[in-house]
Amino acid sequence: MPSITHTFRLSLLAAALAATPGFAQDAPLQAVASTEQAESPLGLALSTFAAQRGVALSFDPTLAAGRTAPALSGTFSTEQGFARLLAGTGLRLQPLPDGSYTLAAADARPAGSTRRTQPLRVGGDGQAFHYAEGLRLDEDYMRAQATGNGDIGRLLRINPAVQFDNAQQSSFTPGDISPANVSINGAPFYQNAFVVDGMNFNNDIDPGGDPSPYRLATAPGNSQAFALDTDLLADLTVLDSNVPAAYGGFSGGVIEANVRTPKDHFSGSVSYQTTRSSWTRYLLDESMREDYANASSWGDGQPEFTKETWRATLEGKVTDTLGVLANFTRKRSTIPTYFYSAHLVDSYGEEREIQRQRSDQAMVKAVWEASDRLTVDASFTHAPSENQLFRSNIRGAGVRIDGGGTMVNLGATWLADWGTITQRLSWSRSEQSRDAQSDDYFTWQHSATKDWGTNASTLEGEFGDIEQLQRRLTYSAQVQSNPFDFGGGVHQLTSGVELTRERFDYRRLTENSTYTTPARTTTCTLDTGEVDTACDMGRTTLGAWPGQYFTRRTRYATGHIGFNVESFAAHIDDDMRYGNVSIRPGLRIERDSYIGQTTVAPRFALSWEPRDGTLLTFGANRYYGRNMATWKLRDGVNQLRYNSERRTSLNGAWTTGTQAGNDTYFNIDKVGYADELMLAWRQDWAGWRFNLKAVNRRLRDQVINVSGRITGITPDDPTLASNYTTWSSTGSGLSNIYSLTAQPLLGWSAGATHTQALFALDWTDVRKAVPFYDDSADLFYLNPWIRYDGRYMRYQQKPADNYTRPWTARINTITRITPLDLSVTNMLVYSAGYRRIARTSLTEMYQGERIEVWEERQFSPSLTWNVRLGWERELSAQAGTLHANVDINNVLNRRNVYGASPAVGNVPLYDIGRQFWLEVGYRY
């Protein structure tokens, strides 16, 4: 039986310490001091160390029974001291609502109760965010949220530095399961670094490309190479300012996820989650309802859908030192729509086609505690995704967009007497490819056998298969010293290197021909006895031909374009403490063989704590961004095309067409970057913690796509087409982001309920927005005078109109009702009005030149209230736990406008209305 007496004595010790003058129960664990403590039983070591550092600690002594703690010697923080004492024990330090701490198994929670949410660590809260670097979400918080598709992006709605696409919650895409794209501090959505367990999982093939799945030469993608599910995450961190030198490859922010370690005891879980169109309210303008109900292919709407997610996990200790976690997650979305375009359904029939979306994740993670000093982790993840689509009115026009792939990650952490050494080796293979139902495209005359056409022509086929691959091999090593005294201050050095080899490939896997100009024929049999595939014997409707064959075609040949990229990065920073002043200068140096530029990114952060509860922070930093392989892969793709091949009879030979010119010229020699200045003030007052932060970002040398004729560049390349485009590193941006977060330090208790809350407010002032690299940026490059909203300005001064709501207020609360095994989570987001900026057909004279007139259309502010009702009941210690969640999105069914449809008289477009999700599961 546990020793009640010992627990009581520890509680008395905690109470005595709390009563000691100068001691605060919620004293931050980051306090740094010198410690000398010999090897001793774990329970005694923890109690002694807690008393030395003024931490109120009580725990069940049976958790520490039979365990020995290592000797402690040196200067380090309270958090680091507890981490060393608990290393390899499977135990963790757990904060309690009253500000004290307890000891618990790494996966423990009170029997028969719901999971208890710990306070969010925001801004400068905690040692990791002593310089107001960002916000971290822990596992309990993430489990309590209504996350919909379960992707990383949707968990970040509480972060005031994060903005979403205006159409993210569109009524036209409620069946989509793709991860949400996010913008951080005004940067393009593809300029964030995504990291899981120390491994990069960016999609650097073409994350910002045209989203249409029907382009001849490319396939759409996402900023994340893998659509990782959030169910297994231990924490999720966004670093949005004062980012340490250890991170690179972004000009927005870093989104870092960590998969939890396996539990000590054998356990598992299964769950099923679903939503569907019958549980969803569609908010549409009345003029669009009929066409929406008859929606057809991609982009027309999703009036019917069913989304389902299955999850299964097994985990536990295989030996005393080896833990293994295995998970399989399957997500499916089925979207039936009409074959014919909406306005043709009544005339041509209600034939159906089904769009399907799929995302799978199979993951195995192992953690081996080889010794008290060495921990090894390894993981394997296979996470493919696909999106099956079709084009209306065209037979054989199905297309499957393939993404995702495989990741392998191996890491080792060594705790030396003087510090920590971490090494990591990772490999990944991902794709952004297209698998077409047909390799050729035909423009038949309407006939008895080609009878689905809606006019004199009948269309059939697709444009063949394209494969785009990204393979990445990375080795990294990082050394972090223990805090040490030098020059009158306490220092902690962090340094490391990173070596990466990447391979990018573009392949046209099948030859494709687009056939035009049909002619009359009486047979489709060639002299060789074979049947010509570009011929059909159905009697034509127009002209009453007995049959038809094609006399012209444009051909795409198979081909391959690929290249390797070797890159090197080194970083160092020194976290220095001089009394109540902390300074962290740092430097990151990078070079790769793609752009060929050596970049030097200085980082500097300073904080001053004039008194307890007040922290002022300043930072000046440079971040070099991501480079996309598509900039180089497109150079030469158009030359696979052969124009105007002809034949004069069915058996006549095709003449060789002229090879098309190269329509893309690669000449980038600069890496885009962001310069940042930031100020932050953290204040504890009246039981609350307030964080006020201002971030100024200036984007420079950003890549944009412009016409070659306007750049004045005249490369000596006879293969270039006259209308070629090129990449120009002349894009620039300017944004100011101001944010305020407020959080009760201990939450509120009322009876048997406990509530945690976080309030966030941001004001985003994007004075100059960089166009996405795949947009036509000729106007941005030329930067002419325009008239906008009655004022004359340069084009680049025109306000942004996406990922930039002027200001947003966000409130998140989590309430636990222990006797009922219930939890209630509320997320309210109020966003300022949306403005759509568009060019008109009007012009006027200004300073002797004719300029264009642009106008703004203002839309109302939006309010979104999402709720999760969670229930879980432990059947018994042996029988496991049942749980269920009901999510209600847009509870008030508000008509939130996100844009206008120029194709339908500029009528407003709305977010999805009230929608229900249901999840049921079992854990043991």
Side-chain angles (χ1 to χ4, degrees):
M1 244 184 108
S3 170
I4 299 176
T5 302
H6 185 59
T7 304
F8 180 67
R9 287 174 178 170
L10 284 172
S11 298
L12 288 178
L13 171 63
L17 287 168
T20 303
F23 172 77
Q25 283 189 319
D26 59 348
L29 289 182
Q30 67 262 27
V32 176
S34 178
T35 298
E36 297 291 336
Q37 189 168 308
E39 181 178 315
S40 59
L42 179 61
L44 178 61
L46 289 168
S47 301
T48 302
F49 185 74
Q52 291 174 346
R53 294 301 178 95
V55 175
L57 173 68
S58 62
F59 58 88
D60 182 347
T62 59
L63 292 173
R67 301 178 186 267
T68 301
L72 292 180
S73 178
T75 302
F76 40 80
S77 69
T78 304
E79 185 174 354
Q80 290 172 326
F82 276 119
R84 287 175 176 269
L85 293 174
L86 293 172
T89 65
L91 303 174
R92 64 181 172 89
L93 203 64
Q94 177 176 303
L96 297 174
D98 62 0
S100 66
Y101 292 83
T102 188
L103 197 63
D107 58 351
R109 62 186 180 86
S113 69
T114 57
R115 300 179 67 89
R116 188 175 62 80
T117 300
Q118 304 302 330
L120 296 174
R121 289 190 282 178
V122 180
D125 191 6
Q127 183 189 19
F129 297 146
H130 193 68
Y131 298 102
E133 293 97 327
L135 179 148
R136 175 175 294 128
L137 309 177
D138 64 18
E139 183 180 1
D140 284 333
Y141 173 88
M142 291 186 289
R143 281 182 177 271
Q145 302 306 306
T147 56
N149 293 331
D151 64 281
I152 287 174
R154 286 173 174 82
L155 275 171
L156 303 180
R157 289 197 172 278
I158 192 61
N159 193 316
V162 172
Q163 293 264 3
F164 290 80
D165 187 341
N166 291 331
Q168 186 62 56
Q169 302 297 320
S170 170
S171 285
F172 280 79
T173 56
D176 282 6
I177 61 173
S178 57
N181 286 320
V182 298
S183 167
I184 297 179
N185 284 335
F189 67 84
Y190 49 79
Q191 279 295 355
N192 301 314
F194 290 90
V195 181
V196 58
D197 284 350
M199 176 182 179
N200 178 289
F201 67 103
N202 290 342
N203 170 25
D204 289 330
I205 299 174
D206 188 13
D210 191 313
S212 170
Y214 306 127
R215 297 182 71 188
L216 265 170
T218 61
N222 191 275
S223 57
Q224 304 169 49
F226 301 87
L228 297 183
D229 187 68
T230 59
D231 190 61
L232 294 181
L233 298 187
D235 56 69
L236 180 63
T237 301
V238 174
L239 302 175
D240 57 70
S241 63
N242 275 348
V243 181
Y247 299 92
F250 67 94
S251 56
V254 178
I255 300 173
E256 184 172 27
N258 289 299
V259 177
R260 58 182 174 81
T261 57
K263 297 178 181 178
D264 283 343
H265 59 276
F266 178 75
S267 60
S269 64
V270 292
S271 67
Y272 171 76
Q273 184 181 23
T274 185
T275 187
R276 54 204 61 205
S277 50
S278 59
W279 299 358
T280 302
R281 295 287 299 274
Y282 290 86
L283 301 179
L284 302 163
D285 188 87
E286 287 301 320
S287 63
M288 304 180 73
R289 286 192 176 276
E290 183 176 353
D291 278 353
Y292 189 92
N294 295 333
S296 181
S297 60
W298 176 82
D300 288 348
Q302 299 169 349
E304 296 181 44
F305 71 91
T306 300
K307 291 202 284 193
E308 299 174 297
T309 300
W310 296 264
R311 298 182 178 96
T313 303
L314 285 175
E315 59 186 311
K317 283 290 185 70
V318 178
T319 69
D320 289 342
T321 59
L322 177 63
V324 177
L325 179 151
N327 166 265
F328 181 75
T329 299
R330 167 165 287 182
K331 299 178 183 179
R332 295 289 186 270
S333 181
T334 304
I335 308 167
T337 53
Y338 289 101
F339 171 74
Y340 285 103
S341 298
H343 67 286
L344 300 173
V345 169
D346 290 341
S347 301
Y348 289 89
E350 299 182 353
E351 181 181 346
R352 293 285 193 132
E353 291 280 354
I354 296 180
Q355 302 178 52
R356 302 181 191 275
Q357 297 185 21
R358 177 178 72 86
S359 176
D360 290 334
Q361 175 181 287
M363 176 185 290
V364 178
K365 179 175 181 177
V367 178
W368 178 37
E369 298 165 350
S371 69
D372 289 341
R373 292 180 177 268
L374 176 63
T375 301
V376 178
D377 66 89
S379 65
F380 171 86
T381 304
H382 183 57
S385 63
E386 67 178 43
N387 194 350
Q388 297 180 12
L389 304 163
F390 72 95
R391 287 203 277 181
S392 60
N393 311 325
I394 307 174
R395 295 278 185 226
V399 61
R400 189 184 75 219
I401 306 300
D402 294 323
T406 302
M407 296 187 290
V408 180
N409 196 5
L410 177 66
T413 302
W414 174 261
L415 297 177
D417 291 336
W418 49 267
T420 303
I421 304 172
T422 303
Q423 299 184 80
R424 189 160 298 279
L425 181 67
S426 62
W427 174 86
S428 65
R429 178 190 183 276
S430 59
E431 66 178 316
Q432 185 176 332
S433 303
R434 181 183 76 205
D435 186 353
Q437 183 180 353
S438 307
D439 293 333
D440 296 316
Y441 186 79
F442 305 91
T443 57
W444 303 101
Q445 278 217 24
H446 192 283
S447 70
T449 52
K450 307 293 182 182
D451 60 352
W452 59 87
T454 60
N455 51 38
S457 297
T458 294
L459 305 179
E460 180 180 17
E462 251 297 325
F463 300 125
D465 300 344
I466 292 171
E467 181 182 67
Q468 297 181 110
L469 294 180
Q470 166 184 298
R471 281 161 286 195
R472 179 184 288 124
L473 177 65
T474 301
Y475 168 77
S476 63
Q478 181 169 288
V479 177
Q480 185 177 61
S481 72
N482 292 331
F484 60 91
D485 294 328
F486 180 78
V490 178
H491 297 251
Q492 186 171 38
L493 290 171
T494 302
S495 62
V497 296
E498 184 176 293
L499 302 171
T500 301
R501 179 182 175 86
E502 295 174 291
R503 174 70 187 180
F504 296 98
D505 290 283
Y506 174 96
R507 288 184 176 88
R508 176 169 278 279
L509 300 178
T510 56
E511 186 173 292
N512 162 256
S513 293
T514 299
Y515 290 94
T516 61
T517 318
R520 176 175 179 158
T521 186
T522 58
T523 181
C524 285
T525 303
L526 301 171
D527 291 344
T528 60
E530 298 176 347
V531 176
D532 192 328
T533 57
C535 180
D536 179 71
M537 288 308 300
R539 180 171 290 274
T540 63
T541 305
L542 182 65
W545 296 345
Q548 57 184 314
Y549 78 102
F550 287 100
T551 61
R552 294 190 182 186
R553 70 181 183 184
T554 298
R555 182 170 61 89
Y556 259 99
T558 59
H560 168 243
I561 298 171
F563 61 95
N564 296 321
V565 177
E566 289 81 28
S567 59
F568 167 80
H571 64 87
I572 186 170
D573 61 39
D574 183 6
D575 196 350
M576 303 177 283
R577 308 290 172 93
Y578 294 90
N580 59 359
V581 176
S582 300
I583 308 172
R584 191 189 65 203
L587 190 70
R588 184 177 181 89
I589 300 174
E590 295 176 287
R591 183 176 179 84
D592 65 44
S593 59
Y594 183 35
I595 305 299
Q597 179 187 9
T598 299
T599 61
V600 179
R603 312 278 174 92
F604 179 80
L606 180 148
S607 66
W608 173 43
E609 192 170 11
R611 60 178 182 271
D612 288 344
T614 301
L615 185 70
L616 302 176
T617 304
F618 166 78
N621 305 276
R622 173 167 289 187
Y623 312 120
Y624 280 91
R626 292 165 59 179
N627 296 316
M628 310 310 159
T630 191
W631 301 338
K632 190 170 184 178
L633 290 177
R634 293 189 196 180
D635 191 339
V637 167
N638 198 54
Q639 288 184 280
L640 300 176
R641 180 162 59 90
Y642 292 84
N643 295 320
S644 302
E645 295 189 341
R646 302 184 182 188
R647 62 180 175 179
T648 57
S649 66
L650 182 68
N651 285 285
W654 287 99
T655 61
T656 301
T658 58
Q659 185 179 30
N662 183 13
D663 64 356
T664 303
Y665 175 58
F666 175 79
N667 66 329
I668 301 174
D669 59 1
K670 296 179 181 179
V671 180
Y673 65 92
D675 281 338
E676 172 187 272
L677 293 174
M678 65 83 62
L679 288 171
W681 173 24
R682 189 189 76 189
Q683 182 66 52
D684 294 347
W685 178 72
W688 286 72
R689 170 156 293 176
F690 299 91
N691 286 278
L692 179 64
K693 183 159 70 172
V695 177
N696 170 267
R697 285 280 183 89
R698 295 178 181 269
L699 298 175
R700 296 289 184 266
D701 294 344
Q702 302 297 299
V703 172
I704 57 176
N705 189 235
V706 296
S707 300
R709 59 180 174 77
I710 71 170
T711 64
I713 299 174
T714 56
D716 184 15
D717 184 353
T719 69
L720 276 179
S722 59
N723 60 341
Y724 80 93
T725 64
T726 188
W727 306 103
S728 175
S729 299
T730 55
S732 60
L734 172 62
S735 60
N736 295 299
I737 291 86
Y738 307 92
S739 63
L740 172 66
T741 63
Q743 178 184 27
L745 292 172
L746 300 178
W748 303 290
S749 294
T753 69
H754 185 76
T755 299
Q756 288 288 347
L758 176 63
F759 304 87
L761 178 67
D762 73 89
W763 181 50
T764 300
D765 179 19
V766 179
R767 297 191 176 183
K768 186 195 299 185
V770 183
F772 298 157
Y773 67 76
D774 202 43
D775 293 343
S776 176
D778 288 4
L779 279 174
F780 190 94
Y781 184 88
L782 294 171
N783 199 23
W785 285 100
I786 65 170
R787 195 189 79 180
Y788 164 71
D789 197 26
R791 294 175 295 150
Y792 297 100
M793 64 180 66
R794 291 291 186 180
Y795 176 85
Q796 293 182 13
Q797 297 173 310
K798 176 177 62 68
D801 62 0
N802 200 2
Y803 293 94
T804 53
R805 293 294 179 106
W807 65 271
T808 305
R810 320 170 198 222
I811 303 173
N812 183 260
T813 65
I814 305 173
T815 300
R816 309 286 182 176
I817 309 172
T818 304
L820 300 178
D821 298 325
L822 289 176
S823 64
V824 181
T825 302
N826 293 282
M827 170 67 81
L828 288 94
V829 180
Y830 182 88
S831 297
Y834 165 84
R835 55 188 177 186
R836 179 176 177 269
I837 300 165
R839 178 168 28 186
T840 71
S841 59
L842 302 176
T843 62
E844 66 177 55
M845 297 299 295
Y846 178 71
Q847 294 185 355
E849 62 178 296
R850 186 161 294 279
I851 66 172
E852 295 179 334
V853 176
W854 290 66
E855 66 179 14
E856 172 185 292
R857 180 176 179 184
Q858 187 72 30
F859 296 100
S860 303
S862 65
L863 173 65
T864 302
W865 176 21
N866 298 336
V867 172
R868 163 164 282 199
L869 305 175
W871 172 86
E872 63 177 49
R873 172 65 57 85
E874 186 173 74
L875 303 176
S876 70
Q878 293 75 31
T881 301
L882 293 174
H883 68 90
N885 295 306
V886 175
D887 298 342
I888 312 172
N889 296 329
N890 195 358
V891 174
L892 301 178
N893 200 39
R894 290 264 305 188
R895 298 178 69 87
N896 296 323
V897 179
Y898 71 83
S901 172
V904 193
N906 282 323
V907 300
L909 301 173
Y910 298 96
D911 288 348
I912 199 69
R914 185 183 301 113
Q915 182 181 54
F916 292 88
W917 289 71
L918 173 66
E919 181 182 19
V920 293
Y922 171 72
R923 292 192 293 268
Y924 61 92

